[in-house]
Amino acid sequence: PSNTRSTVQLGTYSNLINRVSMSNEILQLQSRQLMTEVVRSLDADIDYIVKDRLRDMELYTTAPVRLFPDREQADGVAFEIFVTPQPDNTIIVREGENDARMVALGDTVSISGLNVVFKPTPEYNNYLDKEIIVRKHVAANAAGSFLSRLKVFQTEEDGSILQLTLQDYSFRRADDVLNMLIVKYNEDALREKNRIAVNTAAFINERIIIIENELGNVEDSLARFKSSEK
């Protein structure tokens, strides 16, 4: 397994962030919902494996083909298939011992009820007639697997910096997952900030209406008082 690190610099908001809030940020970075968003964005619930003697080797971006699933239906689907690239831009897809079919690259096919498309990568010709294992995991399970190998902790040099470390069989995938995790974390933080701003604006507008009504009542009372007292 490989290690890769990434860091997140958290704004101190005039040093108001304390240990409690930093712990909240760590919990957010370790949330299953956030990691599931990462998995969906990277299609990281799909493994591309080639047998290397007695062990499985994760190919990730060096696989000869890439499977693109219908993301609206893909989260809960899991399967294992065997793909063998052919010289004529077709692949043999085997789902079982006696269930093999020829599939043209770029065509939409159904596997375990999920519509998918296979597209070639620059590595395609390097794997002609070689069988590749393609494993599709349930998205939540894939997220849980990444979380079990993710560590988030504060650096000693700067309490406002969090360091993220992820162990994975593919260095490139670990790097992509960490970078996308930070992207999704920032997107969530921005949505939360916008939500707070909208709620604050709505609250202020409500108070302004109340104050305007109260001022209007005061002005009416003052006018009546002046009139009665001439």
Side-chain angles (χ1 to χ4, degrees):
S2 301
N3 290 321
T4 188
R5 289 185 175 86
S6 191
T7 59
V8 181
Q9 176 94 42
L10 300 178
T12 58
Y13 303 102
S14 300
N15 296 319
L16 292 179
I17 284 186
N18 52 29
R19 290 183 179 179
V20 174
S21 60
M22 290 295 289
S23 296
N24 290 339
E25 302 304 324
I26 292 174
L27 289 175
Q28 176 63 17
L29 285 164
Q30 293 175 326
S31 74
R32 185 178 291 267
Q33 178 181 351
L34 193 65
M35 185 59 80
T36 302
E37 292 180 15
V38 172
V39 166
R40 292 192 190 107
S41 297
L42 296 174
D43 289 334
D45 50 352
I46 304 170
D47 293 334
Y48 303 89
I49 297 166
V50 65
K51 290 290 185 181
D52 183 17
R53 296 182 181 177
L54 297 178
R55 70 184 184 95
D56 293 346
M57 186 170 67
E58 172 61 52
L59 295 176
Y60 190 48
T61 54
T62 60
V65 295
R66 185 175 177 187
L67 183 152
F68 293 88
D70 179 355
R71 264 293 147 202
E72 293 184 359
Q73 307 294 328
D75 280 4
V77 179
F79 55 74
E80 179 179 272
I81 59 175
F82 303 86
V83 176
T84 306
Q86 301 297 297
D88 57 353
N89 287 329
T90 63
I91 55 175
I92 297 174
V93 178
R94 183 169 62 86
E95 295 187 57
E97 290 298 328
N98 300 313
D99 184 11
R101 50 180 158 160
M102 196 74 73
V103 174
L105 294 171
D107 283 358
T108 300
V109 295
S110 178
I111 298 176
S112 296
L114 176 66
N115 288 334
V116 303
V117 175
F118 290 94
K119 293 185 179 181
T121 73
E123 300 290 331
Y124 185 83
N125 289 329
N126 294 330
Y127 288 90
L128 295 178
D129 295 321
K130 295 180 181 179
E131 190 171 71
I132 306 298
I133 303 171
V134 179
R135 291 182 184 141
K136 167 69 177 68
H137 304 277
V138 172
N141 294 345
S145 177
F146 283 118
L147 287 174
S148 69
R149 294 176 275 120
L150 173 70
K151 292 182 180 180
V152 184
F153 51 92
Q154 287 178 262
T155 62
E156 295 180 358
E157 295 82 5
D158 189 336
S160 67
I161 293 180
L162 296 178
Q163 183 165 291
L164 287 68
T165 302
L166 178 65
Q167 287 188 330
D168 192 55
Y169 287 103
S170 167
F171 178 86
R172 175 66 182 274
R173 184 169 66 179
D175 191 49
D176 287 349
V177 167
L178 287 180
N179 286 330
M180 184 58 69
L181 181 62
I182 294 172
V183 169
K184 294 299 181 182
Y185 166 85
N186 287 331
E187 288 178 355
D188 276 7
L190 182 59
R191 281 194 294 267
E192 180 65 13
K193 184 181 292 186
N194 289 339
R195 184 187 67 81
I196 292 174
V198 169
N199 290 342
T200 301
F203 173 78
I204 292 174
N205 289 336
E206 290 176 1
R207 295 302 302 165
I208 288 174
I209 293 173
I210 293 173
I211 292 171
E212 285 178 344
N213 290 335
E214 291 176 349
L215 287 175
N217 292 334
V218 169
E219 288 177 352
D220 288 343
S221 297
L222 181 60
R224 288 195 299 271
F225 175 79
K226 287 183 176 180
S227 177
S228 64
E229 296 299 323
K230 298 182 181 180

